[in-house]
Structures are given as structure tokens and as C-alpha cells.
Amino acid sequence: MNRKILYLLLLFLFIILLKDLNAEAKPVQGICIKVYDGDTIKIRIEGTKTLYRKVRLIGVDTPEMDHPDKKGQRLAREAKSFAEKMVLGKRIILEFDWDKEDKYGRLLAYVFLQDGRMLNAEIIKQGYGFAYTRFPFRYMDEFRRYEREAREKGLGLWKGGGKA
């Protein structure tokens, strides 16, 4: 077999293995030390003193606080406040899906509280955000259902028939 073909085949297999390992990443425990907005937090990885990571919640999008094109969207502060009450200063568990990081180097995760609730889902259930379905993810059907239920109840963003 041609060396070049063998090299390309090995490289292809290595990439597949890396993708599989990434999708099967073990949960990470940490403490939430900052909430940037309703869908982005910063954590200190448990067991370390200096390992901090920015985390983008999978499958949920909340109104923007400081986006240059979307200044002060309705309920942005409320979404951030809700996330702060849920996780700031608390021990959390991150679980990963297909991709562990986004193009900005943020961890992509489902954030679980000690009582088992998932922050991503709670934000949508309470109407502080909506299901972000641009990319496929494990809980897409559930998140869509949570958004539909929040709309029907008129919660948060959907109060008074509002639109996100």
C-alpha cells in the first residue's frame, strides 16, 4: 500500500477516535464563579486552584446583555439574575454532548445542580430563554417542548404573547 494512502488512512482513523473520545468526555465538577449572561458562565474546575473555564450552555439562548448589535434585549438582566440564583457560588456538574468546545474555546455543556436539575432546561421552562436548535443536541425535543409550554403559560419572554 502506498505510504501516502496509509498515512491518510491513519490520520482519518485518529480523527474519528478523537471525535468519539470528545463525545464521551466524562462529567466535570466545578464551582460557578461568574455569570456573564443567562447562557454563559465561568467555573473553577473542582480540585484545582487556577483552572477556570468559560462555559456556554448547550441548547439554550437568552436575551443579550452586551452584544454590540443587540444592546439590552428585553429580559436580559432577568435571565442573568435567574442563572445567578441557580448556580453562582454553587457546585455544579458539567456534562458534554457531541462537541466539547465551540469555536471561541468555551466549553459546551449541560449544567446540572446538586439537586439534579439542569440549568439549561430550567431557563427555558421559566421563559428566560428559548431552545437554540441551530445545531443538533441530545435534549432538543425536550427543550422544544419546554419552550412551547412556557409560551402557552405566558412565562418570561412569552408574557403577554411576547416574541423572543
Side-chain angles (χ1 to χ4, degrees):
M1 186 184 283
N2 184 330
R3 258 194 176 154
K4 206 175 219 180
I5 293 172
L6 181 60
Y7 172 75
L8 289 173
L9 181 61
L10 288 173
L11 181 62
F12 179 71
L13 290 172
F14 179 72
I15 291 169
I16 290 173
L17 282 173
L18 270 180
K19 187 73 171 170
D20 287 344
L21 288 173
N22 202 23
E24 296 298 321
K26 301 238 186 291
V28 170
Q29 292 190 31
I31 306 283
C32 177
I33 60 166
K34 182 174 182 167
V35 174
Y36 293 98
D37 58 28
D39 56 38
T40 309
I41 64 174
K42 186 174 188 177
I43 68 162
R44 180 178 54 79
I45 305 292
E46 196 163 85
T48 70
K49 290 184 180 179
T50 58
L51 187 55
Y52 299 93
R53 291 298 303 266
K54 203 170 190 179
V55 178
R56 173 65 169 83
L57 306 182
I58 297 172
V60 62
D61 199 12
T62 62
E64 297 293 337
M65 297 271 306
D66 297 317
H67 191 283
D69 299 329
K70 305 173 185 177
K71 284 278 187 205
Q73 288 185 324
R74 191 169 83 81
L75 289 184
R77 283 196 172 90
E78 292 85 346
K80 178 181 179 180
S81 179
F82 179 78
E84 286 175 337
K85 288 176 190 168
M86 294 285 285
V87 297
L88 188 60
K90 297 178 183 172
R91 178 170 280 115
I92 56 175
I93 298 168
L94 304 182
E95 289 187 8
F96 305 101
D97 211 324
W98 319 116
D99 290 320
K100 192 174 177 182
E101 290 186 359
D102 67 7
K103 65 182 179 181
Y104 305 108
R106 299 177 297 188
L107 290 177
L108 297 171
Y110 302 106
V111 175
F112 289 90
L113 287 75
Q114 292 295 300
D115 65 8
R117 290 182 294 161
M118 183 198 311
L119 177 61
N120 315 47
E122 292 299 319
I123 288 169
I124 298 169
K125 287 178 181 180
Q126 301 302 319
Y128 291 108
F130 56 91
Y132 185 68
T133 58
R134 183 173 177 194
F135 304 103
F137 58 96
R138 187 181 325 155
Y139 300 104
M140 186 179 287
D141 292 336
E142 291 93 325
F143 283 18
R144 283 181 173 156
R145 186 179 77 244
Y146 300 150
E147 181 181 324
R148 186 174 55 252
E149 291 168 357
R151 282 177 188 257
E152 290 168 359
K153 293 176 184 174
L155 300 175
L157 294 168
W158 320 117
K159 191 173 189 170
K163 295 180 181 179

